[in-house]
Amino acid sequence: MSVTIAVDLGKTRCRVAVMDAAGRRVVSDAGAPGLAARDGVDSALAAILPLLDRTASADAIGVGAAGAWAAPDASADLARRLAERTGAAVAVASDVVTAHAGALEGRPGTLLIAGTGAAALGVDDAGVRLVDGWGPDLGDLGGGSWIGREGVRAVLRARDGLGDATSLTDAVTAHVLPAADPITWLASDIPTARLLATVAPLVLDAAEAGDAVAVRIATEAVRLLTATAVAASAVHRLVIHGGLADHAWFRTQLERVITSADRTAVPAAGDALDGAALLAVRSDMPHERFVHRAR
């Protein structure tokens, strides 16, 4: 019986799924810093191999790894070393690529990622195009950390007489307790982008309730995300993925503007594990030039 193993290696969590005639069985543990990080391949192997030891042997292994897009040499090295350790045919790609392949079943279209960060991967006749995903300091425009940052800035501006009063003041003040203020709260060991993203739901809730300041932030986030999605591909089919899409009001606003930009939001056909499994066994998809293979 043919067995395929799919790996979704993120910076927070690593998931490994065995896919065979019996269905899909998933085990998970801590992730790795990313293939572009120092010792990225060693860290990736340290996350993946113990989980593989808990699964069956496989004919093919597909891996979607954070950082792979920016580190093709590391991706090729990971594929080679995994193949040597397991004896399986191995395919390694970016986790954005596997998420796209899973969401759209390997077909053309756009995957808009709207989570802590923001990016869009588009596949069409012109090729494969990644837009944004530049990180919180330079981009991730309209994503959770961006919304949270704008919300905190609005609170600080209101406090110092530089901006309009907003209900976000009370919401953010309660959120950052026991810190005295957002500035003190952000001076922790937790990555700033991750902290700021926890403020995004407060901003979206306030916008839904009609707070003018929050509405302006949410409206700009929708505009930025839509622009990113449109720039990624000319194909109309689009899947929205990420934590921001779980906020029903915000998703409605985003889908409305995306529709006005001549794009059609469709449900995801699968996830990054499904995409990794597809890439493991198929080499005829448009993502292929971003896949690193070894046997």
Side-chain angles (χ1 to χ4, degrees):
M1 181 173 60
S2 178
V3 177
T4 300
I5 287 181
V7 180
D8 180 30
L9 178 61
K11 295 182 180 180
T12 301
R13 183 176 60 154
C14 179
R15 296 186 299 155
V16 170
V18 178
M19 298 183 174
D20 56 25
R24 169 170 136 169
R25 301 177 302 285
V26 181
V27 294
S28 65
D29 209 330
L35 287 185
R38 183 177 181 180
D39 299 324
V41 176
D42 288 337
S43 298
L45 289 169
I48 294 170
L49 290 175
L51 292 175
L52 290 182
D53 289 341
R54 293 163 53 186
T55 64
S57 60
D59 304 289
I61 299 174
V63 180
W69 188 280
D73 291 343
S75 301
D77 189 30
L78 177 60
R80 178 184 59 80
R81 293 172 65 179
L82 272 177
E84 290 174 351
R85 292 289 294 269
T86 65
V90 177
V92 175
S94 165
D95 54 348
V96 179
V97 171
T98 55
H100 184 285
L104 289 150
E105 295 182 304
R107 295 176 297 173
T110 303
L111 176 69
L112 173 63
I113 298 172
T116 296
L121 185 68
V123 175
D124 56 25
D125 290 341
V128 178
R129 178 173 171 78
L130 180 66
V131 178
D132 203 348
W134 310 330
D137 294 329
L138 298 176
D140 290 343
L141 303 175
S145 65
W146 183 94
I147 292 171
R149 179 179 287 107
E150 293 304 306
V152 169
R153 281 177 172 163
V155 169
L156 294 174
R157 287 176 62 83
R159 183 195 70 180
D160 291 353
L162 296 172
D164 296 335
T166 170
S167 64
L168 289 172
T169 296
D170 290 341
V172 171
T173 298
H175 184 71
V176 305
L177 289 174
D181 58 35
I183 297 171
T184 306
W185 176 65
L186 288 172
S188 75
D189 294 332
I190 301 173
T192 299
R194 190 183 303 171
L195 279 176
L196 288 172
T198 67
V199 178
L202 305 180
V203 176
L204 300 183
D205 287 346
E208 183 178 11
D211 181 89
V213 171
V215 167
R216 288 198 294 268
I217 295 170
T219 300
E220 179 63 2
V222 166
R223 187 191 70 80
L224 290 167
L225 290 169
T226 301
T228 295
V230 170
S233 175
V235 175
H236 293 191
R237 189 185 310 110
L238 179 145
V239 172
I240 304 170
H241 172 76
L244 291 181
D246 294 336
H247 193 282
W249 176 85
F250 185 73
R251 185 183 183 101
T252 298
Q253 307 308 307
L254 182 57
E255 289 183 345
R256 177 178 57 80
V257 175
I258 281 173
T259 300
S260 71
D262 199 25
R263 297 296 188 273
T264 302
V266 299
D271 63 9
L273 287 171
D274 296 307
L278 275 176
L279 292 174
V281 299
R282 289 181 55 186
S283 59
D284 61 337
M285 295 191 297
H287 315 78
E288 184 61 25
R289 70 187 180 97
F290 298 99
V291 180
H292 303 268
R293 297 186 182 275
R295 289 184 175 271

